[in-house]
């Protein structure tokens, strides 16, 4: 009987230790959900998480990316890491936490209190225009044209906040061109939108 009690204690202790090791291994290798930002590439994301380009092919395979040169702003990528992100300013979050967010929030660009609904090729066209108009700078000025999308000051009504610039740009493009893709085509043909 004394031997049975010791055996049970040892078994329980080993089980607890094994569980602790398994739990530690799970935490150390936790998956991370990364939201693609304007200007990101698989190489730059790999740099953030591994300090080199070693994750590029792995990221593509794990996220079913056919063309490693084509990712979209707002796209969610699962990054399997060793728990050590090298850039503390990455927009990464544990997968379990991210699943509580709404689908719309996961696939949209959010700035302050405004969420743009541009996704995929629309988000690409929007980012392309912003890069060509201002270098993605909300503080850029060119005469009466202000901000990331170089909107007329009259459209912004004195509110030059990033949230208002995003909102007004989306409204302007929807009203004038119908889509960011059409606005980009106009820009390519005329040098402005």
């Amino acid at each position: 009987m004394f031997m049975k009690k010791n055996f049970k204690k040892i078994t329980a202790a080993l089980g607890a230790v094994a569980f602790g090791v398994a739990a530690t291994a799970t935490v150390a290798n936790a998956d991370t959900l990364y939201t693609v930002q304007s200007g990101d590439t698989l190489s730059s994301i790999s740099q953030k998480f591994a300090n080199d380009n070693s994750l590029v092919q792995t990221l593509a395979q794990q996220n079913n990316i056919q063309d490693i040169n084509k990712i979209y702003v707002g796209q969610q990528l699962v990054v399997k890491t060793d728990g050590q992100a090298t850039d503390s300013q990455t927009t990464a979050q544990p997968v379990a936490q991210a699943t509580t967010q709404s689908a719309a929030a996961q696939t949209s660009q959010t700035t302050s209190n405004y969420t743009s609904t541009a996704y995929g090729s629309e988000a690409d066209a929007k980012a392309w225009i912003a890069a060509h108009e201002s270098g993605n700078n909300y503080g850029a000025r060119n005469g009466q044209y202000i901000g990331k999308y170089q909107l007329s000051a009259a459209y912004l009504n004195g509110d030059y906040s990033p949230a208002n610039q995003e909102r007004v740009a989306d409204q302007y493009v929807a009203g004038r061109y119908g889509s960011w893709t059409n606005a980009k085509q106009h820009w390519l043909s005329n040098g402005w939108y």
Side-chain angles (χ1 to χ4, degrees):
M1 182 161 161
F2 178 71
M3 187 127 167
K4 278 187 176 179
K5 282 186 180 180
N6 281 342
F7 180 73
K8 287 181 182 179
K9 286 180 184 176
I10 291 170
T11 304
L14 287 174
V17 169
F19 177 74
V21 170
T24 302
T26 301
V27 172
N29 294 317
D31 293 351
T32 303
L33 191 64
Y34 179 81
T35 304
V36 175
Q37 302 296 308
S38 179
D40 275 345
T41 63
L42 288 181
S43 294
S44 68
I45 295 167
S46 180
Q47 283 291 113
K48 289 177 183 177
F49 287 93
N51 274 339
D52 58 31
N53 290 331
S54 64
L55 292 177
V56 173
Q57 291 302 322
T58 305
L59 286 169
Q61 290 170 350
Q62 291 172 344
N63 292 283
N64 298 321
I65 297 172
Q66 302 300 316
D67 181 352
I68 63 169
N69 297 311
K70 190 180 263 187
I71 57 176
Y72 301 101
V73 173
Q75 183 176 358
Q76 302 290 305
L77 300 178
V78 175
V79 181
K80 295 188 186 275
T81 67
D82 61 4
Q84 296 180 353
T86 59
D87 182 354
S88 62
Q89 295 184 348
T90 60
T91 55
Q93 51 193 320
V95 173
Q97 181 182 6
T99 57
T100 61
Q101 296 176 345
S102 70
Q106 289 180 0
T107 59
S108 302
Q109 178 183 359
T110 303
T111 303
S112 189
N113 296 340
Y114 176 74
T115 302
S116 176
T117 57
Y119 178 73
S121 61
E122 288 298 298
D124 286 346
K126 183 176 182 179
W128 186 92
I129 287 174
H132 285 78
E133 287 293 314
S134 70
N136 292 310
N137 182 355
Y138 287 112
R141 291 183 179 249
N142 181 12
Q144 71 169 1
Y145 301 103
I146 297 172
K148 186 174 180 178
Y149 303 99
Q150 291 294 283
L151 300 165
S152 171
Y155 289 136
L156 295 169
N157 294 322
D159 180 359
Y160 304 146
S161 69
N164 193 51
Q165 288 184 40
E166 294 289 337
R167 178 178 23 268
V168 171
D170 282 344
Q171 291 170 349
Y172 170 78
V173 166
R176 184 172 179 119
Y177 303 104
S179 72
W180 281 99
T181 305
N182 291 343
K184 180 181 175 183
Q185 290 304 316
H186 184 273
W187 198 103
L188 289 168
S189 298
N190 301 290
W192 61 275
Y193 81 111

